[in-house]
């Protein structure tokens, strides 16, 4: 749901990978990658496992304490007392070493070497398979698997051994950071991986080193001319050449058109139609050299065509022929089979391998082509390295050609539908062309089928809180003006077969008898009506529950002593704690166009089948939007929630992005969002987007921007704390230097890191007046942005999780009603990842909505302490002590597949978050009333996933 990247799920749910333990890691929502795959799993030490709940209700944690938890409690108990009684009463145990970034999970690991596997080119099974077209969200490139018995190479979704990028950008490599972080926590010492790509790969790797703790495990291997070079090259690079496959890379650099002195004014030599098969002449190559020589490469310019060649299988040895040539059975037979000539035993002749072996069978050849722009297409048509793979009409030429069996086109439809591209396709002769570049046919087949099924069920139960049905309509999509229309027919010779890629479509390569397409693994289309039919059959009471929720939300609810009864449909929901509470003043006269909270991702660590990682979209409607955290696959979730055009409008309307901390499940979707916004607003005057985050995030963004411009400006969270903002306002009023922000922050900073507090030793105050001065104009910009969005303040506050971890407060501006009465603005507080702490309670006082992480169930307190997370009850207690009106729990451990374990006795003003859940400010009074019906929907599925992979994932959060 990424795109988890979505492909991570495909990998471990696909039948081809079932013999291996699932590695819970993938960009589902992954790039154009090409990777050899293997997986391992481990069982972390000292990890508490769930036990049983009283009353036979699901599973809970054992009460035994882990050593790590004891250590954390000892550290917290030995800490100095707090400065105030209120803070003292709020103090809880936490893992100080983890909060300081010193726990073992962040430590260095050995420089691992890749395992060498014994390969057999003859007795092997091999195929290429479309893992995912990316069409259900169109936020990533398609993904293709090249499978062998002991090696797996993947385009668009890397796993172990070797990852090959066809381009280096957020679209193709957006899921790579999350994958590498997963590998870092796999096994006792992590896993090593080689990353291959064009020369600008170094910018990506350098950027990732800023937050990947085990950088030694990443071995970057780049090829091609360096960025800034104007040298034209037609070289063929061979990254992999072993017993079972040879993988070559052909570089495509964009050819920028320029006017030649010999051409007419207004025309260009590069605009001539592409030549036919018989005219790949030298003049085109010379033209190519001249057209590119004066234009230096920019980061992200290079694309790659990958050629996968399986070795030929030598013919069968014929002993009768050998005997007829005077050979005795023995070692000479072996020499001939190895390709060596030998002397006959009974005749005065040399016996050659061709005398006794049947003709060799050429190995299959597959091309994976990524031609992203028209400028790359001009280069593709004239590149000499591909000439041996073209088919010529003459018999003599045919003998010199290598026959290609399959070409997989990752190029977008805007390129493949052009006459020039189809003329280039025809050069391969009798080839099966698989068109994987976002073909519309796959729009109705979501990669994340489990997630789509849950979304559809939730939508049926309560469409007001769960408006996303999980499926798109192909006819409706085709009506959108922004969607390109692919031609019904390709202008290719009849000998060329064009196939529209589908998820899990296979093309067998070995054994030879099975060479060709295999559609048996393609998933069936699951329709919304079918899912609803199955739901009603499984839970007949759900019909009455859905009707009653509609009545509740429209004010026609029928309550009786705190219990809700629908006798006609045999639905009895008794929740005595559901009592009406006083409506906050800020909700007086509220409309549905004021604010909406959209939970795009509600899981922790890594995407799962049911929950993507953290991202919260604050929809201010006509006033724009704000994104709180931006985990992997956030763009895909936006498209699932709002559709293609709606997601584009949402991205264009972003006012600010706020990131809580540097862990990958909270920020690795950021570059993709920023890159899309840059492209959408290219022709529109606009300001760079303000990104507020911890200072380590700036290191990553600065390094990444050497690869592609993200059109953003960064503001450190520490400059948006309450103390810093007060100093900024004071400085602004007095018109003095912005360094006052730092001085004031040092005097009146957070109690959490004050003298005598447990975290005193870690917190390093910003002390550079130059740094504060640089933040001053950005704070002015942020203030203007917030005012235009109808907000009064965005305030960051430190929390206990890892170094530089923050929570945030969003406060709406006060408003005046029609009678002139002043109505206070609403207040949203987001905890980020944290243990309960005084700073969070203080920031949450009087909150309209507190969005609090609840990673673990109540019985796993020691695990929560060890990881510096919160349990469900702890999160609710924070909200209760702060007087929050509503509490939304999120960031659940992936050990809870669909719905977390919770004690309903404490849920009187609390709701459980699900992906795509949309909470409108006008619906807040009714929010807790939906919880009993969610329990009904998941009554048979409130279980705990105790797989080892969940524990592996927990190490990263």
């Amino acid at each position: 749901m990424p795109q988890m990247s979505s492909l991570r799920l495909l990998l471990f749910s696909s039948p081809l990978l079932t013999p291996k333990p699932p590695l819970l890691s993938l960009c589902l929502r992954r790039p154009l990658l090409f990777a050899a795959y293997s997986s391992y799993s481990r069982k972390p030490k000292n990890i508490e496992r769930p036990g049983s709940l009283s009353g036979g209700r699901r599973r809970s944690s054992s009460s035994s304490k882990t050593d790590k938890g004891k250590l954390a409690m000892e550290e917290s108990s030995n800490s100095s007392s707090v400065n105030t009684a209120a803070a003292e009463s709020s103090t809880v145990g936490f893992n100080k070493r983890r909060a300081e970034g010193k726990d073992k999970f962040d430590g260095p690991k050995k420089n691992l070497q890749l395992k060498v596997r014994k390969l057999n080119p003859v007795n092997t099974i091999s195929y290429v398979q479309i893992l995912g077209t990316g069409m259900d969200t169109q936020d990533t490139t398609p993904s293709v698997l090249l499978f062998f018995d002991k090696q797996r190479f993947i385009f668009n979704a890397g796993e172990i051994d070797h990852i090959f990028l066809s381009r280096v950008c957020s679209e193709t490599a957006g899921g790579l950071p999350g994958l590498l972080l997963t590998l870092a926590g796999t096994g006792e010492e992590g896993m090593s991986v080689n990353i291959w790509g064009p020369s600008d790969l170094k910018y990506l790797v350098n950027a990732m080193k800023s937050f990947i703790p085990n950088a030694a495990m990443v071995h970057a291997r780049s090829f091609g001319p360096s960025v800034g070079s104007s040298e034209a090259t037609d070289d063929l690079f061979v990254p992999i050449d072993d017993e079972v496959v040879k993988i070559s890379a052909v570089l495509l650099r964009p050819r920028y058109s320029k006017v030649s002195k010999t051409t007419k004014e207004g025309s260009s030599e590069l605009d001539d139609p592409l030549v036919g098969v018989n005219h790949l002449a030298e003049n085109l190559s010379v033209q190519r050299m001249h057209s590119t020589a004066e234009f230096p490469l920019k980061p992200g310019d290079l694309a790659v065509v990958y050629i996968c060649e399986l070795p030929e299988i030598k013919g069968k040895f014929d002993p009768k022929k050998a005997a007829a040539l005077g050979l005795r059975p023995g070692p000479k037979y072996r020499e001939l089979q190895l390709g060596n000539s030998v002397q006959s035993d009974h005749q005065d002749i040399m016996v050659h391998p061709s005398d006794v072996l049947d003709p060799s069978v050429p190995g299959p050849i597959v091309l994976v082509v990524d031609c992203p722009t028209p400028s790359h297409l001009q280069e593709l048509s004239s590149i000499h390295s591909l000439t041996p793979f073209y088919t010529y009409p003459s018999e003599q030429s045919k003998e010199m050609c290598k026959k290609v069996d399959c070409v997989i086109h990752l190029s977008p439809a805007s390129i493949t539908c052009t006459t020039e591209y189809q003329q280039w396709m025809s050069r391969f002769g009798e080839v099966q062309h698989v068109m994987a570049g976002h073909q519309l046919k796959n729009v109705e087949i979501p990669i994340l089928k489990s997630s789509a099924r849950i979304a559809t069920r939730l939508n049926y139960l309560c469409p007001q809180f769960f408006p996303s049905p999980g499926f798109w309509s192909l006819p409706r999509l085709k009506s959108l003006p922004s969607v390109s229309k692919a031609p019904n027919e390709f202008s290719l010779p009849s000998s060329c077969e064009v196939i529209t890629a589908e998820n899990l479509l296979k093309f067998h390569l070995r054994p030879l008898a099975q060479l060709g397409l295999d559609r048996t693994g393609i998933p069936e289309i699951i329709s919304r009506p079918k899912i609803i039919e199955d739901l009603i059959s499984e839970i007949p009471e759900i019909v009455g529950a859905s009707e009653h929720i509609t009545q509740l939300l429209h004010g026609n609810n029928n309550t009786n002593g705190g219990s809700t009864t629908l006798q006609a449909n045999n639905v009895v929901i008794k929740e005595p704690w559901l009592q009406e509470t006083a409506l906050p003043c800020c909700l007086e006269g509220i409309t549905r166009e004021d604010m909406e909270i959209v939970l795009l991702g509600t899981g922790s660590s890594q995407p799962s089948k049911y929950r993507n990682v953290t991202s919260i979209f604050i929809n201010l409607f006509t006033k724009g939007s704000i994104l709180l955290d931006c985990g992997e696959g956030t763009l895909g979730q936006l498209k699932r929630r709002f559709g293609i055009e709606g997601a584009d409008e949402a991205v264009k309307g972003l006012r600010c992005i706020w990131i809580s901390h540097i862990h990958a499940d909270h920020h690795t979707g950021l570059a993709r969002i920023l890159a899309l916004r840059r492209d959408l607003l290219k022709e529109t005057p606009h300001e760079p987007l303000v990104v507020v985050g911890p200072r380590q995030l700036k290191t990553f963004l600065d390094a990444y921007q050497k690869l592609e411009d993200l059109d953003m400006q960064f503001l450190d969270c520490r400059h948006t704390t309450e103390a810093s903002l007060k100093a900024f306002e004071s400085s602004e009023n007095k018109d003095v230097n912005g360094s006052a922000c730092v001085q004031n922050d040092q005097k009146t900073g957070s109690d959490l890191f004050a003298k005598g507090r447990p975290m005193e030793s870690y917190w390093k105050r910003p002390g550079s007046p130059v740094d504060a001065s640089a933040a001053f104009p950005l704070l002015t910009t942020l203030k203007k942005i917030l005012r235009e969005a109808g907000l009064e303040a965005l305030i960051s506050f430190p929390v206990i999780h890892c170094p530089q971890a923050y929570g945030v407060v969003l406060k709406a501006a006060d408003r005046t009603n029609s009678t002139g009465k002043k109505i206070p603005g609403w207040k949203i507080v987001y905890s980020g990842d944290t243990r309960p702490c005084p700073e969070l309670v203080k920031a949450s006082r009087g909150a309209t909505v507190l969005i609090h992480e609840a990673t673990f169930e109540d019985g796993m307190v020691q695990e929560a302490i060890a990881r510096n997370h919160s349990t469900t009850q702890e999160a609710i207690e924070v909200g209760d002590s702060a007087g929050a009106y509503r509490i939304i729990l999120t960031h659940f451990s992936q050990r809870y597949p669909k719905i977390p374990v919770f004690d309903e006795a404490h849920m009187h003003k609390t709701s459980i978050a699900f992906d795509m859940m949309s909470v409108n400010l006008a619906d807040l009074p009714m929010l807790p009333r939906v919880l009993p019906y969610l329990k009904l929907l998941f009554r048979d599925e409130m279980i705990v996933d105790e797989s080892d992979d969940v524990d592996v994932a927990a190490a990263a959060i």
Side-chain angles (χ1 to χ4, degrees), residues 840-856:
L840 177 56
V841 175
K842 177 183 176 182
S844 302
R845 296 208 183 281
T848 313
V849 180
L850 168 62
I851 305 172
H852 200 301
E853 73 118 295
T855 309
F856 297 106

Side-chain angles (χ1 to χ4, degrees), residues 129 420 452 455 553 595-596 665 709 746 784 816 818 824:
Q129 183 175 32
E420 290 83 358
L553 293 173
M595 189 272 289
E596 180 183 52
D665 57 326
D709 177 30
Q746 290 173 328
K784 176 187 175 186
T816 303
S818 57

Side-chain angles (χ1 to χ4, degrees), residues 23 25 159-160 178-186 190-193 217:
L23 178 62
S25 130
E159 290 282 355
I160 328 306
L179 169 64
L180 295 179
L181 283 167
T182 300
L183 301 185
T186 302
M191 301 181 68
S192 182
V193 62
M217 64 169 288

Side-chain angles (χ1 to χ4, degrees), residues 514-551:
Q514 297 181 13
L515 184 70
L517 290 172
D518 179 359
R519 301 178 183 272
T520 57
I522 297 175
E524 296 180 357
I525 295 179
I526 51 173
S527 64
R528 172 181 168 81
K530 174 61 176 174
I531 292 177
I532 301 306
E533 179 185 341
D534 293 343
L535 172 62
I536 296 174
S537 174
E538 176 186 338
I539 310 174
E541 308 96 309
I542 206 69
V543 176
S546 177
E547 293 173 353
H548 194 63
I549 286 180
T550 301
Q551 295 173 11

Side-chain angles (χ1 to χ4, degrees), residues 329-645:
K332 291 183 178 180
Y333 278 19
R334 177 61 176 168
E335 289 296 318
L336 288 167
Q337 292 175 7
L338 292 175
N340 302 320
S341 299
V342 298
Q343 177 69 43
S344 174
D345 295 317
H346 300 294
Q347 301 178 29
D348 187 18
I349 59 172
M350 290 293 294
V351 180
H352 304 288
S354 59
D355 298 330
V356 294
L357 295 177
D358 292 338
S360 298
V361 180
I365 299 176
V366 176
L367 269 63
V368 180
V369 181
D370 183 19
C371 181
T373 70
S375 298
H376 290 88
L377 174 55
Q378 297 185 54
E379 177 80 352
L380 180 65
S381 67
S382 60
I383 200 158
H384 269 291
S385 297
L386 295 176
T387 304
F389 301 94
Y390 298 147
T391 298
Y392 291 86
S394 67
E395 292 298 325
Q396 183 178 1
S397 299
K398 286 184 178 180
E399 295 178 1
M400 302 171 57
C401 294
K402 299 181 178 180
K403 185 181 183 305
V404 177
D405 295 273
C406 179
V407 181
I408 299 176
H409 300 269
L410 307 182
S411 310
S414 60
I415 300 297
T416 60
C417 68
T418 63
T419 302
E420 290 83 358
Y421 192 90
Q422 293 177 26
Q423 287 178 351
W424 175 79
M425 291 170 59
S426 67
R427 297 177 184 174
F428 293 98
E430 297 181 6
V431 174
Q432 289 184 302
H433 295 275
V434 179
M435 314 307 294
H438 289 173
Q439 305 301 306
L440 290 180
K441 181 177 180 180
N442 293 291
V443 71
E444 295 179 306
I445 308 176
I447 291 179
L448 298 174
K449 295 177 68 173
S450 299
S451 175
R453 184 179 287 107
I454 292 292
T456 303
R457 288 181 165 215
L458 288 167
N459 174 252
Y460 173 81
L461 177 65
C462 183
Q464 199 145 327
F465 284 117
F466 304 97
S468 176
F471 293 90
W472 291 355
S473 165
L474 182 57
R476 181 183 176 188
L477 184 69
K478 286 182 176 179
S479 67
L480 298 179
S482 62
V483 177
S484 61
K485 310 296 190 300
N488 294 327
E489 295 182 2
F490 281 81
S491 302
L492 295 174
S494 58
S495 58
C496 297
E497 184 180 358
V498 177
I499 301 103
T500 298
E502 297 180 70
N503 296 334
L504 303 186
L505 173 70
K506 285 183 183 179
F507 188 95
H508 286 283
L509 303 173
R510 294 261 167 86
L512 187 62
Q514 297 181 13
L515 184 70
L517 290 172
D518 179 359
R519 301 178 183 272
T520 57
I522 297 175
E524 296 180 357
I525 295 179
I526 51 173
S527 64
R528 172 181 168 81
K530 174 61 176 174
I531 292 177
I532 301 306
E533 179 185 341
D534 293 343
L535 172 62
I536 296 174
S537 174
E538 176 186 338
I539 310 174
E541 308 96 309
I542 206 69
V543 176
S546 177
E547 293 173 353
H548 194 63
I549 286 180
T550 301
Q551 295 173 11
L552 286 174
L553 293 173
H554 286 81
N556 298 322
N557 51 305
N558 177 27
T559 58
N560 181 19
S563 38
T564 302
T565 307
L566 291 179
Q567 299 288 357
N569 292 282
N570 298 319
V571 179
V572 179
I573 296 175
K574 193 169 184 178
E575 303 292 355
W577 44 264
L578 274 180
Q579 301 295 334
E580 291 292 338
T581 58
L583 195 70
C585 295
C586 64
L587 296 184
E588 182 180 333
I590 207 76
T591 71
R592 302 196 67 80
E593 300 300 317
D594 285 324
M595 189 272 289
E596 180 183 52
I597 302 171
V598 182
L599 287 304
L600 296 175
T602 58
S604 67
S605 182
Q606 300 163 19
S608 74
K609 291 194 296 182
Y610 305 106
R611 294 182 184 270
N612 194 39
V613 288
T614 302
S615 184
I616 302 169
F617 183 76
I618 306 299
N619 189 0
L620 302 172
F621 297 97
T622 58
K623 296 180 181 179
S625 58
I626 292 178
L627 202 55
L628 305 180
D629 277 334
C630 189
E632 175 186 345
T634 293
L635 178 57
Q637 294 292 83
L638 277 172
K639 294 197 175 189
R640 291 183 179 93
R641 170 60 180 82
F642 295 106
I644 296 175
E645 291 196 330

Side-chain angles (χ1 to χ4, degrees), residues 584-867:
C585 295
C586 64
L587 296 184
E588 182 180 333
I590 207 76
T591 71
R592 302 196 67 80
E593 300 300 317
D594 285 324
M595 189 272 289
E596 180 183 52
I597 302 171
V598 182
L599 287 304
L600 296 175
T602 58
S604 67
S605 182
Q606 300 163 19
S608 74
K609 291 194 296 182
Y610 305 106
R611 294 182 184 270
N612 194 39
V613 288
T614 302
S615 184
I616 302 169
F617 183 76
I618 306 299
N619 189 0
L620 302 172
F621 297 97
T622 58
K623 296 180 181 179
S625 58
I626 292 178
L627 202 55
L628 305 180
D629 277 334
C630 189
E632 175 186 345
T634 293
L635 178 57
Q637 294 292 83
L638 277 172
K639 294 197 175 189
R640 291 183 179 93
R641 170 60 180 82
F642 295 106
I644 296 175
E645 291 196 330
D648 287 349
E649 291 301 316
V651 171
K652 287 194 292 185
L654 282 172
R655 297 284 188 173
C656 172
I657 298 179
W658 182 91
I659 304 297
S660 62
H661 61 291
I662 198 63
H663 285 169
D665 57 326
H666 291 257
H667 77 85
T668 50
L670 180 58
R672 186 73 186 100
I673 292 284
L674 293 174
L676 177 61
R677 179 182 180 272
R678 173 203 65 208
D679 295 339
L680 292 173
L681 297 177
K682 184 179 296 184
E683 307 298 330
T684 306
H686 67 281
E687 294 295 326
L689 188 65
V690 174
V691 175
V692 183
R695 59 178 176 262
Q696 305 104 312
L697 181 63
K698 185 177 188 299
T699 305
F700 165 69
L701 293 174
D702 286 347
Y704 189 90
Q705 288 205 107
K706 295 179 181 178
L707 175 63
E708 61 177 330
D709 177 30
L710 296 179
D711 193 25
M712 51 76 63
Q713 44 191 342
F714 183 83
L715 182 61
D716 196 316
C717 278
R718 71 178 189 265
H719 293 307
T720 61
T721 61
E722 185 175 13
S724 293
L725 291 175
K726 286 181 179 178
F728 163 69
E729 294 290 347
S730 175
S731 299
E732 190 177 40
N733 294 335
K734 296 178 181 179
D735 194 28
V736 298
N737 190 284
S739 61
C741 295
V742 172
Q743 296 167 0
N744 194 66
D745 186 47
Q746 290 173 328
K747 294 177 182 178
T748 62
S750 162
D751 290 340
L752 180 61
F753 303 96
K755 185 175 181 179
R757 296 301 304 276
M759 290 296 290
E760 174 195 3
S761 63
Y762 174 71
W763 186 254
K764 296 178 176 59
R765 297 294 176 188
S768 169
V770 175
D771 184 43
S773 297
F776 194 86
L778 286 178
L779 286 171
T780 303
T781 300
L782 179 62
K783 181 179 179 180
K784 176 187 175 186
I785 291 171
L786 295 176
R787 184 172 61 250
E788 292 173 349
L791 300 178
E792 180 181 291
L794 182 154
I795 304 171
S796 303
F797 56 90
V799 295
I800 299 176
H801 179 59
C802 68
Q804 297 297 305
Y806 291 88
V808 69
V809 176
L810 285 178
K811 177 74 168 61
D814 296 343
R815 52 194 171 89
T816 303
N817 65 12
S818 57
T819 63
K821 177 183 177 182
K822 185 177 180 180
I823 301 175
W826 48 262
K827 177 181 178 181
I828 294 177
V829 179
Y830 169 47
S831 69
D833 287 6
T834 184
R835 290 290 296 144
C837 60
E839 286 290 323
L840 177 56
V841 175
K842 177 183 176 182
S844 302
R845 296 208 183 281
T848 313
V849 180
L850 168 62
I851 305 172
H852 200 301
E853 73 118 295
T855 309
F856 297 106
E857 61 185 282
D858 296 343
M860 302 188 72
V861 175
Q862 300 307 318
E863 183 76 1
I865 291 174
R867 303 291 180 193

